[in-house]
Structure formats: C-alpha cells, structure tokens
Amino acid sequence: MTYTGVAPSWAEGQVPASGWGFVRAFVQLGRPKFLLQSSASVGLGMTLAAYDGHALQPAWYAWLLLWAWCTHLGVHYCNEYFDLAADRLNTDHTEWTGGSRVLVRGLVRPETSLATAFVLLFTGALMAGVVPNTAARLAMLVLMALAWFYTAPPFRLNYHALGEVTTAATLYGLCPVICYMVQADTVSVTMAAVVGPISAFQVLRQSLMNLSDIEGDRRAGKHTMALILGPRNTIRAYCFGQVAVYTCVVLLGVWEVLPPTVAVAVLLSCVIPAWVARELLSDAMADPPRANQVTFLASMQMPAAVMAAMSGLVIDANIHDRELGAGTWVYALTLLIASAWAAGWLLARPRAHRLLDA
C-alpha cells in the first residue's frame, strides 16, 4: 500500500464514538500532551529577551503562548488526517509515536480532524496578523506553513526526509526566535547560541521517533531520515550527534558565547540522551515496553534542556545583578506548566496504557 496524499475513507464497520466518549476521543486526537514542548519554547524566547535587557509585555506572552498552542494543536489534527494511511500500517507504535490511534480505531471521522486543523490554522493566522512586528509576523506565517506541510500535500516534508529538520526549525528554532523578536525587534548572539543546540537535539530526537515507526513508514512509502539511514546508522547518528552537540555547548560556554551557568545547566541534561543511547545500543526498540520508555525520554530531552537553559539564564542574571523584570514570572510560569504537565502525566499513566493497548 502506498500513500497517495489523501486519507483513506471511513473503514467499513467502524462506528464513531458519541457523547462524552467522542469528546474524550476528540481531545486525545489533538495529542495535547505535546503542548509542553511549545510552552517551553515560548518561555525560552521570552526569558532570553528579558535576559538581554528587553522589557517584556505580559500580554504578548499570553498571546504568543495561545498562538503556539493553537498552531501546535492544528498541526496534530492535520498530521492525524494526512498520516492515517501510515498509522494504519504501523503496528509498532508507542505512546509517543504513531499518532493518537483515534482515527485508526474509528472513534472520530477523518474529516472532523481535517476540519479542526483548518479552523486552528486560520485562527493562528489571524492571531499572527495582530503582531505589530512585521518580521515576527512573517516568521509566524512561515512557521505555520512549514508545520502544515510537514505531512500535508503537496510537499509532505516528512515523507521526503525533511520532517526532522522541519520540526526543529519550527518548534525550537522559529518559535523562540519569534517570541524574542516580538519583545526586542531583533535577535542576539546569546539567543542563537541557546536555540541552536536545542534545535539540533530536536533533529536527533525526531530521527529516533521515526525509527520507532520505521516498518509502518516503509510499507506506506514514507521516506524518513530513519528509513533512508537504516536502524543501525540512525542509532549511530543519534549517539554521535548528541556527543557533538554537547561538545559545542561546552565550547560555547568556555568561549563565553553562552553564559557559563547556561552551558553547565544544559550539559546536565545529557543524562537523558546518555540513558537513551545505552538502551538503543542494547536493542531496546525491539521490546515494546522499553521502546516506549526510550521514545518518552527522548521527547523529554528538549523541555529538560530548555528549562535548564532558562534556569541558567536566571542564575546568571542574579549573579550579575541583571534585572529580568517580567522575565522572572515567565520563567516561573513555564516551570509551573512543566510541573503541572508532569503531575498530570503521572496521574494519567494507567489510563494511557489502557488506551494504547485497546
């Protein structure tokens, strides 16, 4: 079966959920658990702007956070529709890869997912139009276009080994840059030195996520980086890539391009990919429970690195008596969102496993 760019029709015999069952399935379809990533990205851009001496406007933080969530959810609903053929062929999915499984199980019609994606896309575009900074406004539209065509025709970037770079460029590249520019009208070397390594981590993480789905993607004709490199080389690239990026972080700290506190804090996050690499080298992806743990921790590396970088910025600002102003509140709110997410994930784990096995 080859993917044609259009979601398969409603499978025979499937009956959509109704009532509260539909509401729960519809929310799950949007995969809101990944909003932690966009929350962290927005907080990072704002905190960097405050660290560089730019006064933050709390209203813009709230507006950009809502825009990021709207865009992020829209991409999920879009991907669920255009990835349905590949998801149906994927028997090796985890909690963090292979889609929500809601459309695969027939709980919501595919057309509902696509319609929701369009509503969120247009809402995000309208929200972007309110931003007074022309460069930031254009960057927001570019981000939304790249995110939409991650799986949508005609470009289907993740079907042509460009999905890994696209997710890095949008989620951890353009998003914090946009949030910085709305406050500062410019960019800084410090911002680039923080955003660059975290974006590189995202490329490595996404290649690993696609490794988990490699067999289903192969059958669907989906040419991801993992499929092109093959499992062995993908694992090698992940391991060597992590070493290379963390080495760059150390060098940036030594050369004082990054504040030393930021470099040290980000370096501490290396325990996550180190554990992931050890599992990969012991054939963890062949064991579903271990593969689930690997994809989860690989996904948590970027929020962990972001929170570490933000903590390093706050510590450095206090050491050098630099006034962060509202940046301190942005940092605290981002930390609060991450903590609430972690608590919610822990409470939802038993239910998540039941849904996954259904």
Side-chain angles (χ1 to χ4, degrees):
M1 181 176 182
T2 301
Y3 180 80
T4 61
V6 179
S9 61
W10 189 251
E12 185 178 353
Q14 288 186 330
V15 179
S18 59
W20 282 111
F22 172 81
V23 173
R24 288 193 297 269
F26 181 77
V27 171
Q28 185 188 359
L29 179 63
R31 310 188 83 187
K33 62 187 177 184
F34 285 104
L35 295 184
L36 169 67
Q37 309 257 1
S38 46
S39 302
S41 192
V42 171
L44 177 64
M46 289 289 185
T47 304
L48 278 164
Y51 176 84
D52 284 337
H54 303 287
L56 297 190
Q57 301 177 52
W60 280 122
Y61 166 73
W63 187 259
L64 290 169
L65 182 61
L66 290 174
W67 167 78
W69 282 347
C70 179
T71 301
H72 205 163
L73 286 172
V75 171
H76 288 166
Y77 284 104
C78 174
N79 291 347
E80 290 284 325
Y81 179 83
F82 289 110
D83 253 352
L84 180 53
D87 289 344
R88 280 179 171 161
L89 294 171
N90 186 353
T91 58
D92 300 316
H93 60 87
T94 70
E95 288 183 66
W96 306 92
T97 63
S100 69
R101 318 305 294 176
V102 169
L103 297 187
V104 173
R105 294 162 60 199
L107 300 177
V108 175
R109 291 185 177 275
E111 295 80 5
T112 302
S113 187
L114 183 61
T116 304
F118 274 117
V119 169
L120 291 169
L121 173 70
F122 292 135
T123 301
L126 290 173
M127 294 182 75
V130 176
V131 173
N133 184 313
T134 301
R137 186 166 61 248
L138 291 175
M140 292 168 80
L141 296 176
V142 168
L143 182 154
M144 294 175 69
L146 286 172
W148 180 266
F149 292 118
Y150 176 73
T151 52
F155 302 114
R156 296 186 295 156
L157 297 169
N158 198 36
Y159 284 72
H160 301 285
L162 293 172
E164 295 84 357
V165 174
T166 300
T167 57
T170 53
L171 186 54
Y172 286 106
L174 282 173
C175 185
V177 169
I178 289 166
C179 294
Y180 186 103
M181 291 176 64
V182 169
Q183 305 297 320
D185 294 325
T186 183
V187 294
S188 72
V189 172
T190 301
M191 186 211 68
V194 173
V195 169
I198 294 173
S199 297
F201 290 145
Q202 173 66 8
V203 173
L204 298 172
R205 173 255 180 180
Q206 195 61 35
S207 68
L208 191 59
M209 306 302 273
N210 286 334
L211 175 61
S212 178
D213 295 338
I214 191 169
E215 291 306 322
D217 290 345
R218 190 194 310 277
R219 290 191 288 270
K222 187 175 179 180
H223 301 290
T224 62
M225 188 183 297
L227 186 60
I228 291 173
L229 292 177
R232 187 183 299 272
N233 286 332
T234 299
I235 292 172
R236 287 174 177 169
Y238 179 86
C239 296
F240 285 115
Q242 293 289 345
V243 172
V245 178
Y246 278 109
T247 299
C248 289
V249 170
V250 171
L251 292 176
L252 289 171
V254 170
W255 296 332
E256 297 187 352
V257 179
L258 275 178
T261 54
V262 175
V264 170
V266 172
L267 186 60
L268 292 176
S269 68
C270 74
V271 298
I272 297 176
W275 185 91
V276 169
R278 187 193 68 177
E279 290 294 291
L280 290 172
L281 294 172
S282 63
D283 204 23
M285 301 306 286
D287 178 25
R290 294 174 66 196
N292 196 65
Q293 292 177 345
V294 166
T295 53
F296 164 67
L297 282 177
S299 297
M300 292 303 102
Q301 181 189 3
M302 279 63 59
V306 167
M307 294 308 306
M310 293 174 68
S311 299
L313 291 169
V314 171
I315 292 171
D316 187 77
N318 284 315
I319 291 173
H320 296 96
D321 294 323
R322 299 177 67 161
E323 180 60 48
L324 286 180
T328 302
W329 293 103
V330 169
Y331 168 70
L333 283 171
T334 306
L335 186 61
L336 180 63
I337 290 172
S339 300
W341 182 94
W345 175 76
L346 288 171
L347 292 172
R349 285 191 71 187
R351 176 172 174 76
H353 285 299
R354 289 196 299 271
L355 288 172
L356 187 65
D357 294 335

